[in-house]
Amino acid sequence: MNTERIFEEFPAPSYRGAQETALRDIRDAFAADNDVVLVRAPTGSGKSLLARAIAGCALKIDDAEPSEPTGAYYTTPQVSQLDDVAGDDLLSDLNVIRGKSNYTCILPNELDTPVNQAPCVRESGYDCSVQHRCPYFSDRAIASNREIAAMTLAYFMQTAGSEVFRKRDVVVIDEAHGLAEWAEMYATIQLGPRTVPFWDELRVPAVEGVERAARYAENLSQVCTRRKDDLLAQEQLTPADVRERDRLQELIGELDWFVSDYRDPQSPTTWLVDQSEPADANSSGDYEDEDDVDLGGPLTIKPMNPERYLHHTVWDRGNKFALLSATILNKEAFCGQVGLDPANVTLVDVPHTFPVENRPLYDVTQGKMTFEHRDETIPKIARTIVRIMQEHPDEKGLIHAHSYDIQERLADLLRDFGVGDRIRAHTREDRDADLEAWKASPDPDVFLSVKMEEALDLKGDLARWQVICKAPFLNTRDSRVAHRLEEGQWAWYFRSALRTVIQGCGRVVRAPDDYGATYLADSSLLDMFERARSDMPDWFAEQVDLMSEPDLPEFQPRAALGGDGSSRGSSAGTGDTTDTASQSRNDDSSGENEGQNQQRRYSRTSRRSRSKSGSRDSPLADVWDTD
């Protein structure tokens, strides 16, 4: 790696914010013999441009010995981030490769067939006359032979051990804060009707303990291998056969990896096993057939801190690594989760260059959103959202509902209040389509979202405000979460929630001249800030310290519909009257520019002093949530 090239490899014509300083610090960190450099760069710092400069420092073929790895990988867990890279003219030399299912066959009668189901994978010995023009194989060939190959983290991990994508000199991982969680997810084995093609033919035992799960996994792997071999022996397969064959091959690899890792006394991985009731058990857990008493249902086999898995899929794939994110909050804890030696890792902090007054936090907390308090708190939050809509009558807003249950309840209440015409929501099936329709709309609608705290760019007028309805604590019903909390890993628990909040706060402020307000509605967020204070980046701690209570209008739903409210619906809920004060403010400000509107809006707040002592209650009592 030649870090002296880092400035000339920077792809933009000029530097913005702290980019030049960041490049210098990154160069010096690698020059100090660190194998891994963590780059904590906040929203808007141009992480993709920094990533390109780092990747450009990789050893080139002309300067390398035949046995030395050359070139670089750029990878990110987020498909949307890879899409942004592919569409950025400044990053045109990052050669993107995606999985086969993202490409369609170009044969005349197969134009709607994804490449992973095309004749070349359906028919034994098929000789494709157009493979040299196949979009997948073409992109793969280009990416494998160019200096920088770009792909999702899933594809990167799946190609571990590939002869096509071998070890390279430099690996750059963007949005790397969730690397441990992504690895755990990829290494988790789901055994059930959706993942095992012949599930209904199996008699699944009741599994007690990991040892029993390992023995069952060995037997199941052998069954899968026989079925896969039977398919491979056929001259021609249907698309369904191809899907089954590929799934069986994937499942065999998963099962064999689990058994091998579990049997290895040197492996640091701890495995957990969850099992559901079988489908033929009734609601009380009894069985119609006494012979089925010892049967079990779908299995989930989960790894904890899969260091060995990461070494195989990530750390063995390069000489030097740069991991970029706004929310790598604690270097030592992060290294422990992903199997790195902190002595070989350094953290480069990139300062935030967005004015803090452009990214304010507002305290509109209405109570706790834990399960036992939710029925009381959600109606209060819904009324508060109406008042925030009144404060922003002509600006789009985003509501982080946290779960589909909360989303549905808020939507019902907002319709009851008479502001439903300004409310949009998405379904599980049409997340992306519903989001894009809202973004494309010129109306100041409010979008009720679930799990959209990351990888969402709402620059400018796409959104000027957002509400975080619930502290995003991890689900304590998850056996991995419960296991860690039983071991007292509360710092990890609060740090995970803080990371999600910081990511969420960055959705509506995307540039130094952008601005957007974040309203906090769950009082558990304030406690979380105090408990995770030591892990906050300085620039976010400044936001928290300047947090204030906004002077919102009185609850008058008609005023929340924008304009005079008449064009968006006739009903406005009980007690609705015209908000003359709000209308007067709109009239008075008609000649002001956006910057003046922003300063006026954000200055109408009342500061509140805060205790730094924090709650002395049990942490579990405050954050336990099973939603």
Side-chain angles (χ1 to χ4, degrees):
M1 183 180 190
N2 182 2
T3 55
E4 292 304 317
R5 293 203 311 264
I6 197 167
F7 292 103
E8 65 186 74
E9 292 290 342
F10 186 73
S14 60
Y15 300 111
R16 187 184 71 192
Q19 287 174 336
E20 186 173 13
T21 301
L23 290 175
R24 186 177 298 110
D25 292 342
I26 294 167
R27 178 198 63 187
D28 294 344
F30 278 117
D33 287 334
N34 290 289
D35 295 327
V36 181
V37 174
L38 311 180
V39 183
R40 185 161 62 188
T43 299
S45 55
K47 289 194 296 295
S48 296
L49 300 180
L50 298 177
R52 167 60 187 82
I54 298 167
C57 296
L59 191 63
K60 298 181 182 296
I61 293 177
D62 293 342
D63 301 326
E65 297 295 330
S67 61
E68 290 183 298
T70 61
Y73 289 115
Y74 169 89
T75 182
T76 173
Q78 298 167 352
V79 174
S80 61
Q81 183 76 13
L82 192 66
D83 292 340
D84 291 342
V85 166
D88 192 332
D89 291 339
L90 293 175
L91 304 173
S92 58
D93 59 349
L94 270 66
N95 296 276
V96 175
I97 175 65
R98 307 174 191 272
K100 282 186 178 181
S101 61
N102 295 279
Y103 299 85
T104 55
C105 182
I106 59 175
L107 289 170
N109 297 323
E110 302 285 350
L111 297 179
D112 294 327
T113 304
V115 172
N116 65 335
Q117 298 175 26
C120 59
V121 295
R122 296 201 312 258
E123 300 179 24
S124 177
Y126 184 85
D127 184 13
C128 181
S129 61
V130 296
Q131 182 170 324
H132 62 289
R133 294 193 290 112
C134 173
Y136 170 72
F137 287 102
S138 176
D139 277 3
R140 191 182 73 166
I142 293 171
S144 64
N145 287 288
R146 297 292 172 82
E147 290 184 355
I148 307 175
M151 59 195 71
T152 63
L153 184 63
Y155 188 87
F156 179 69
M157 288 182 165
Q158 288 166 5
T159 56
S162 165
E163 287 298 313
V164 177
F165 293 107
R166 300 181 181 183
K167 182 177 182 178
R168 293 200 173 192
D169 186 36
V170 174
V171 177
V172 179
I173 305 177
D174 206 350
E175 301 298 341
H177 50 272
L179 184 58
E181 288 84 352
W182 283 93
E184 286 183 357
M185 182 184 74
Y186 293 144
T188 292
I189 305 170
Q190 301 278 357
L191 301 179
R194 292 185 178 182
T195 58
V196 180
F198 51 95
W199 180 258
D200 291 339
E201 303 173 26
L202 295 174
R203 288 180 62 84
V204 184
V207 173
E208 296 182 1
V210 183
E211 174 60 34
R212 183 67 183 89
R215 294 201 303 271
Y216 179 67
E218 288 176 313
N219 293 332
L220 181 57
S221 177
Q222 294 172 8
V223 175
C224 291
T225 299
R226 289 194 295 270
R227 292 181 70 101
K228 184 200 70 172
D229 291 343
D230 289 342
L231 289 170
L232 290 175
Q234 299 180 29
E235 288 295 323
Q236 186 167 343
L237 301 177
T238 66
D241 291 335
V242 170
R243 289 193 295 271
E244 179 173 350
R245 180 202 63 193
D246 291 347
R247 176 55 194 148
L248 289 172
Q249 183 61 54
E250 184 180 35
L251 187 56
I252 292 165
E254 293 173 352
L255 294 168
D256 290 350
W257 173 266
F258 158 56
V259 173
S260 171
D261 186 83
Y262 173 69
R263 301 280 188 221
D264 182 358
Q266 303 301 317
S267 173
T269 311
T270 297
W271 291 90
L272 303 176
V273 179
D274 297 334
Q275 187 169 32
S276 306
E277 289 289 340
D280 53 358
N282 60 34
S283 58
S284 63
D286 297 328
Y287 298 86
E288 298 293 334
D289 188 336
E290 292 184 2
D291 293 337
D292 291 339
V293 172
D294 293 330
L295 294 182
L299 283 165
T300 303
I301 304 171
K302 306 176 182 179
M304 300 281 293
N305 296 340
E307 298 175 19
R308 185 177 173 220
Y309 180 82
L310 279 169
H311 272 283
H312 170 63
T313 58
V314 178
W315 308 130
D316 291 342
R317 307 285 299 281
N319 291 328
K320 299 288 185 180
F321 295 83
L323 279 60
L324 298 89
S325 172
T327 50
I328 296 177
L329 301 180
N330 183 298
K331 171 190 162 183
E332 284 70 25
F334 179 83
C335 289
Q337 288 178 322
V338 299
L340 292 174
D341 181 358
N344 297 324
V345 179
T346 193
L347 175 65
V348 170
D349 248 324
V350 180
H352 210 313
T353 57
F354 297 1
V356 68
E357 59 269 18
N358 286 13
R359 43 187 171 93
L361 296 178
Y362 289 134
D363 177 357
V364 294
T365 53
Q366 299 299 307
K368 294 180 180 179
M369 281 289 285
T370 47
F371 191 77
E372 63 271 25
H373 295 101
R374 191 170 302 172
D375 289 344
E376 178 184 355
T377 305
I378 284 182
K380 296 178 183 178
I381 290 179
R383 289 179 65 90
T384 301
I385 289 173
V386 173
R387 296 174 65 198
I388 296 171
M389 292 169 64
Q390 293 173 232
E391 179 70 5
H392 301 269
D394 301 312
E395 294 175 326
K396 287 186 174 184
L398 178 70
I399 310 296
H400 296 285
H402 183 77
S403 72
Y404 283 98
D405 174 66
I406 296 173
Q407 179 202 55
E408 183 178 354
R409 293 169 69 174
L410 285 174
D412 289 344
L413 286 165
L414 293 170
R415 280 193 293 267
D416 291 345
F417 291 148
V419 299
D421 286 347
R422 197 179 160 192
I423 299 298
R424 291 175 180 240
H426 64 85
T427 63
R428 287 180 172 87
E429 296 77 18
D430 297 316
R431 263 176 82 89
D432 294 339
D434 293 334
L435 172 64
E436 292 306 316
W438 169 68
K439 290 169 64 176
S441 170
D443 297 323
D445 290 338
V446 180
F447 194 64
L448 293 175
S449 72
V450 178
K451 304 299 183 187
M452 289 191 178
E453 294 90 352
E454 296 189 36
L456 182 58
D457 184 353
L458 299 177
K459 59 189 174 185
D461 291 333
L462 286 177
R464 290 297 182 191
W465 57 276
Q466 62 183 341
V467 180
I468 299 178
C469 293
K470 185 184 181 305
F473 293 112
L474 296 173
N475 189 345
T476 52
R477 281 185 175 176
D478 185 289
S479 55
R480 281 175 297 206
V481 177
H483 180 83
R484 288 187 171 111
L485 294 186
E486 288 171 2
E487 293 184 338
Q489 297 184 34
W490 286 100
W492 162 83
Y493 190 69
F494 286 103
R495 187 164 52 243
S496 297
L498 174 64
R499 190 180 72 193
T500 302
V501 170
I502 295 175
Q503 287 284 336
C505 288
R507 296 314 97 206
V508 298
V509 187
R510 309 295 297 175
D513 59 350
D514 200 359
Y515 60 89
T518 298
Y519 296 89
L520 308 177
D522 180 2
S523 59
S524 293
L525 286 162
L526 306 184
D527 185 69
M528 182 267 292
F529 284 161
E530 294 183 358
R531 294 181 187 273
R533 177 77 188 198
S534 62
D535 288 319
M536 282 185 189
D538 292 341
W539 53 266
F540 188 74
E542 183 182 17
Q543 282 180 259
V544 172
D545 289 341
L546 292 174
M547 181 166 48
S548 59
E549 293 180 338
D551 182 17
L552 296 175
E554 293 298 320
F555 179 75
Q556 295 183 354
R558 186 178 295 277
L561 293 173
D564 61 4
S566 60
S567 63
R568 282 187 159 266
S570 57
S571 63
T574 305
D576 174 39
T577 60
T578 302
D579 184 0
T580 55
S582 176
Q583 185 62 49
S584 175
R585 286 197 300 273
N586 291 338
D587 293 341
D588 291 344
S589 65
S590 60
E592 295 179 316
N593 61 36
E594 284 297 332
Q596 290 171 319
N597 287 339
Q598 170 232 344
Q599 293 297 335
R600 170 183 52 77
R601 179 180 301 114
Y602 293 166
S603 65
R604 297 190 314 120
T605 60
S606 57
R607 296 293 301 279
R608 182 177 74 177
S609 61
R610 299 186 176 279
S611 167
K612 299 298 182 183
S613 61
S615 170
R616 293 293 172 245
D617 296 334
S618 163
L620 189 60
D622 189 49
V623 304
W624 186 274
D625 184 21
T626 58
D627 182 22

